[in-house]
Amino acid sequence: MADTYVRERSGDGRKDLKYPAAPEPLAVPVYDNHAHLEILDGDEPLSLTEQLDRAAAVGIAGVIQASGDIESSRWAVEAATSDPRVLAAVAIHPNDAPTYAEEGRLGGVGLDEAIAVIDELAAHPRARAIGETGLDFFRTEPERQAPQHESFEAHIALAKKHGIAMQIHDRDAHDAVLETLARVGAPDRTVFHCFSGDDAMAKICADAGYHLSFAGNVTFKNAQNLRDALKVTPLDRILVETDAPFLTPVPLRGRPNAPYLVPITVRLMAAELGLDVDELSAQIAANTLRVYGSFD
């Protein structure tokens, strides 16, 4: 595909920007439920094909390419069209919603216009999710949060309209996200991307039929809440992701993240659950295909 929209991630003070060596491959392939492969990272950035080839070599059969604005959503659809190992998720990120909505709008496009573009992209057969959408009270101050709520509800409506999944971004907004889903009605296939709650929230989500996606931060020493949440999540609701290039799992924190590092997270999850790695991998793969459909 033509690299029509790639952007670079800054070093962010990290000391080692080399991509790590590949981990031991998984015997049973799984899927990376959420990555941002349009973001170039590391001393030697990887192309889309290089990312997918490295992933395939360790048992990662496909990637859901997530989005956050018009440009990345278009890139996601283009990537999914160009390579059968990719499916697209399209959306306006909650932190971008206020910028689209405000005077001097992002790229001259308002929030309603941006959501209309997402609506068009969501109709593409390789677009299988609306995402990432939701609420973020960490990076967006209270006086700018109204457009987030408007955007979130509009994205929920789009997921229902197109009959596709929805990936939720929830940062410091657990109660508000759950309230919104209960009030307006969640799409049939709702995924909490990079789940960040505790075991009590995980039980609420499971009872509501939502899927929980665990990223590399489940391996972090200070993330016992995520491991507790994992243990109470029904096996048929568990997904795995990288959120690449972010949230690189232990022991590689600070290095660039990529889908080929998913086996590290899967093995930690299996150990926490007391499951055979192959058993958990098979369950995660089945869950992913049930949520997003076939990659073929």
Side-chain angles (χ1 to χ4, degrees), residues 9-255:
R9 181 189 180 193
S10 69
D12 299 327
R14 293 172 293 156
K15 295 180 179 179
D16 191 344
L17 297 180
K18 293 182 175 63
Y19 273 93
E24 178 185 352
L26 296 172
V28 176
V30 300
Y31 300 86
D32 183 348
N33 167 76
H34 186 107
H36 299 275
L37 300 184
E38 84 284 5
I39 301 176
L40 302 180
D41 195 22
D43 288 338
E44 298 180 355
L46 302 176
S47 69
L48 176 65
T49 299
E50 288 171 330
Q51 290 273 19
L52 297 171
D53 287 348
R54 286 195 183 195
V58 296
I60 310 306
V63 177
I64 308 297
Q65 167 65 24
S67 307
D69 56 21
I70 290 174
E71 290 79 8
S72 60
S73 294
R74 286 174 173 154
W75 193 94
V77 171
E78 185 180 356
T81 302
S82 69
D83 195 303
R85 296 171 291 184
V86 180
L87 293 176
V90 297
I92 303 303
H93 192 284
N95 286 326
D96 284 328
T99 308
Y100 277 107
E102 291 164 357
E103 188 175 355
R105 304 178 283 186
L106 190 61
V109 177
L111 182 58
D112 289 345
E113 296 167 274
I115 292 171
V117 173
I118 300 303
D119 187 7
E120 293 177 5
L121 292 170
H124 193 283
R126 300 292 292 175
R128 303 291 181 80
I130 296 295
E132 56 191 277
T133 183
L135 300 172
D136 187 320
F137 296 165
F138 177 78
R139 293 193 181 278
T140 300
E141 54 273 22
E143 60 270 20
R144 299 179 71 235
Q145 289 171 5
Q148 284 197 357
H149 290 278
E150 176 188 347
S151 179
F152 186 24
E153 294 191 26
H155 281 77
I156 292 171
L158 289 183
K160 293 177 182 178
K161 173 183 175 179
H162 294 281
I164 57 180
M166 181 176 70
Q167 293 188 347
I168 291 177
H169 172 102
D170 163 27
R171 189 168 188 186
D172 289 0
H174 301 328
D175 290 344
V177 167
L178 291 173
E179 185 279 329
T180 300
L181 293 174
R183 174 170 48 82
V184 306
D188 290 339
R189 290 162 289 160
T190 294
V191 177
F192 275 76
H193 135 67
C194 190
F195 182 76
S196 59
D198 57 13
D199 54 344
M201 182 177 174
K203 290 177 182 177
I204 292 171
C205 291
D207 288 344
Y210 308 148
H211 290 75
L212 307 186
S213 180
F214 293 89
N217 55 343
V218 75
T219 71
F220 295 0
K221 182 178 180 180
N222 64 351
Q224 187 60 47
N225 64 303
L226 301 182
R227 293 185 285 277
D228 291 342
L230 173 66
K231 291 174 183 177
V232 301
T233 303
L235 291 181
D236 65 352
R237 298 293 174 180
I238 293 174
L239 299 171
V240 70
E241 66 174 86
T242 55
D243 199 21
F246 311 104
L247 300 178
T248 312
V250 171
L252 301 171
R253 289 189 71 175
R255 306 278 292 277

